Structure formats: C-alpha cells, structure tokens
Amino acid sequence: MTNPVQNPDLQEDTDLPMDYLVSAERALETEMAGLSALRVALKDGLAVPFQKTCDLIQNIAGRVIVSGIGKSGHIGTKIAASLASTGTPAFFVHATEASHGDLGMITKDDVVLALSWSGETQELASLVAYTRRFKVPLIALTSRADSTLAKASDIVLKLPSVAEACPHGLAPTTSALVQLAIGDALTVAILEGRGFTVQDYKVFHPGGRLGASLKSAKDIMHGGEAMPLVPASTLMSEGILVMSQKSFGVLGVVDELNQLVGVITDGDLRRHVTTNLLEKTAGEIMTKSPKTVAPSALSASVLELLNSLKITTVFVVEDGRPQGIIHMHDLLRAGAA
C-alpha cells in the first residue's frame, strides 16, 4: 500500500498563518464584549422584564413554546432543550411550520418565547397573531424595543445592540451568542427558583455517562454480608481470611458500636509482613480514620475521591456505621468511569 499523498498546503500547528489567529482572537474579543454588554443590561433595563419572565414561566400551568427562524431558531431549540431538561416543560416550534398546522400544539395555558434579533421576522407573524387572538402570553427576545414583535408582546427582553464578530456584520455571531447566553441565564434562574436538585436532574438524564455520574453511592454499593468487616479485636489470622473471601482488597474494622474506625489494605499487610502479623489484632494493624463517602454521594464524586487518593475501594458510611462498599470496578460497570 502506498503512502497517502501529503497536502503541501497543510502545515504543522506551529506554522499556522498568524492572520488566522488574529482573526480568531478578534472574534472572541468581539463576542466577549457582547456578553459584557448583556451583563450590564441585566443590571439595568433588562432586569425588570427578566424577573417578570421568570415569574411568568414559573407560574404557568402549561409549557414554554420557543420559536424562531434561522440562527435564532437554532438558539431557540437549545433554549427549549435546556428548559425541558431542568424541570420546565418546553419545546421548540419552527416559525414556518407553525403556519402549517403546528399552531395546534399551543394551548391557552402555555407561554410563547419568540426569538428575533431584528424583531421583524415575517415568519413569526402567524405565531404572534395566534397568541394575540387566544390570549397566550408572548415574550419577545429581540434587540429592538420598537420592532413589530416587541410592540405585540407582553414582555420584551430587549437585548443590547452588539457588533457581530463577522467582519461584514452579516453572519449572526455575537448576536446568536447573546441570545444563547440570556437563554442559559433564564434556565439557571428558573431552575434555582424551582429548587431543582441534582436528584431532579437525574430523573431527566438517566442515560449515558451523565446518567451514570448522577447515580448515588447507595445505587451501586455492595451492602450487607458482602462487606468485608471485622471487629477491632479480631486476630489477623482470621482477618486475612475474611479479606480474601470478600475479594475487595480491603478490610473494614469496626468497634463495639459498629462504627467504622479503620481499614486494612494490602499496603498495611506489606508494612507488617516482617512482624508477627497473624498474632496481631485488626485494631493494631488498621489505618485509622479512613476516607469514606455518604450514601447520597454522587458516583462522579466517588470516582474523583478514588482517583485523588489513588485507591480502588471506599466504604459508604452513614452516622459512622458502614452501609456498603464501592470498588472502582463498580463505577466502571455503572458507566461512571
């Protein structure tokens, strides 16, 4: 097999023409300026309508219907997905499709969030008219307070005028980012207002690695007789047998109140191999005050602990008493590692 022909126009990263990097840096600086302008607006004219929007969405009986066209439509899709995944029922309705039957998806209990940077998007006309006819609350996300969309809306989220990163000022770049950012800000403000928790988030994200990382320690731990536990007075001649039978590579040591007071690892055994190991008690060999996790700890946190301490096993403890044990292999099987 012959070697593929190398393209002489493709250069190593270190040889990239500097004008590309200068252009990229200018684009990022322009977009950062847009975000800064949005932050300033949130402390000024945008503050009241933003709070009204959050209150309205929190108290509706129906869903948030997000709509737009072009780049605003793409951003709107993401906003709807973010709201839905954090406990606020929402979905995206394409502005053009709304005129061809999708208006039937909208009920009087819903609220419509319409995105249009100019506020003059013709494709939104049917949707706007529908909300006015059936008294469906309408929120405009636009940069022009004097636009047709803004004048027809119940609440106007007036975004600051920003320079596009596109050198021609044509391709929606900074404007799209600002729309996305205000959508994220709404999502976060509303989820915090609802008291949306990690466990709530887990309900909407059961699949994939994200779902696995949201499992708690109690979901994946080994409990009951599976735990390698011995009293502190146990001779190591018996303790080593328990440690081998349970196959976790660790032995938990408890006191008379069944409180976990220490652990014995392979390393502890090696450190005492030259002494009368088998005649010593577990309490004499153990490492005191071991690191543990609570039953409610997320598997992602358990993984971080194991990695940071360079250990493979940890006990799950509640009120000082061992409830279970987790091995790195359990995290791998659950898909969290």
Side-chain angles (χ1 to χ4, degrees):
M1 179 181 294
T2 58
N3 291 327
V5 177
Q6 298 296 319
N7 188 337
D9 293 331
L10 297 179
Q11 304 178 38
E12 295 295 328
D13 291 346
T14 55
D15 296 329
L16 279 176
M18 284 304 297
D19 56 332
Y20 289 168
L21 299 179
V22 169
S23 178
E25 184 175 352
R26 184 175 61 248
L28 292 175
E29 288 177 348
T30 303
E31 294 194 338
M32 289 169 63
L35 291 177
S36 296
L38 177 61
R39 185 179 182 184
V40 172
L42 264 176
K43 297 179 180 180
D44 193 11
L46 188 55
V48 172
F50 184 88
Q51 292 187 65
K52 287 183 177 179
T53 297
C54 292
D55 287 338
L56 175 60
I57 292 176
Q58 288 242 56
N59 293 300
I60 59 170
R63 298 87 32 99
V64 178
I65 311 301
V66 187
S67 188
I69 200 77
K71 302 301 184 293
S72 293
H74 293 307
I75 298 300
T77 301
K78 195 275 181 185
I79 293 174
S82 295
L83 288 170
S85 70
T86 52
T88 300
F91 63 87
F92 180 80
V93 172
H94 194 281
T96 301
E97 296 298 332
S99 301
H100 296 275
D102 283 2
L103 287 174
M105 297 179 179
I106 306 172
T107 74
K108 62 180 181 180
D109 294 324
D110 299 332
V111 59
V112 172
L113 175 63
L115 282 70
S116 171
W117 188 254
S118 68
E120 301 296 342
T121 303
Q122 183 60 38
E123 290 86 349
L124 285 170
S126 296
L127 180 65
V128 171
Y130 184 87
T131 64
R132 303 304 79 190
R133 178 183 177 187
F134 293 101
K135 296 181 172 56
V136 178
L138 175 63
I139 303 168
L141 192 59
T142 180
S143 67
R144 289 182 50 195
D146 62 346
S147 64
T148 302
L149 174 61
K151 291 178 179 178
S153 299
D154 300 293
I155 301 175
V156 180
L157 294 174
K158 198 277 182 187
L159 302 177
S161 297
V162 295
E164 298 288 10
C166 167
H168 307 298
L170 299 175
T173 46
T174 311
S175 58
L177 180 63
V178 168
Q179 288 178 316
L180 177 63
I182 194 67
D184 285 342
L186 278 171
T187 299
V188 173
I190 292 168
L191 77 85
E192 290 186 348
R194 290 186 186 279
F196 194 78
T197 67
V198 169
Q199 292 306 313
D200 295 323
Y201 196 79
K202 176 182 173 183
V203 172
F204 299 108
H205 299 78
R209 186 167 182 177
L210 176 59
S213 68
L214 292 173
K215 289 183 178 179
S216 61
K218 64 182 178 182
D219 294 329
I220 58 177
M221 70 183 187
H222 303 270
E225 293 298 319
M227 289 186 289
L229 297 173
V230 296
S233 59
T234 303
L235 290 176
M236 285 306 297
S237 56
E238 180 183 347
I240 290 176
L241 289 176
V242 174
M243 190 173 177
S244 299
Q245 290 170 354
K246 303 297 183 178
S247 302
F248 283 100
V250 68
L251 186 65
V253 183
V254 295
D255 61 14
E256 60 276 7
L257 298 177
N258 198 35
Q259 300 271 319
L260 186 71
V261 293
V263 295
I264 298 173
T265 66
D266 291 334
D268 294 316
L269 297 181
R270 288 193 296 271
R271 282 188 287 274
H272 291 83
V273 73
T274 58
T275 64
N276 299 325
L277 175 62
L278 299 183
E279 299 174 7
K280 291 183 177 294
T281 65
E284 295 175 300
I285 299 298
M286 71 181 185
T287 296
K288 297 180 180 179
S289 304
K291 294 290 185 182
T292 62
V293 297
S296 60
L298 296 180
S299 59
S301 300
V302 177
L303 176 62
E304 192 280 330
L305 177 68
L306 295 182
N307 285 332
S308 63
L309 297 178
K310 294 181 172 58
I311 57 178
T312 59
T313 310
V314 66
F315 277 95
V316 181
V317 172
E318 187 172 39
D319 296 328
R321 293 182 172 82
Q323 304 297 310
I325 185 170
I326 297 175
H327 191 278
M328 177 67 79
H329 291 164
D330 300 316
L331 295 169
L332 289 170
R333 281 191 290 269

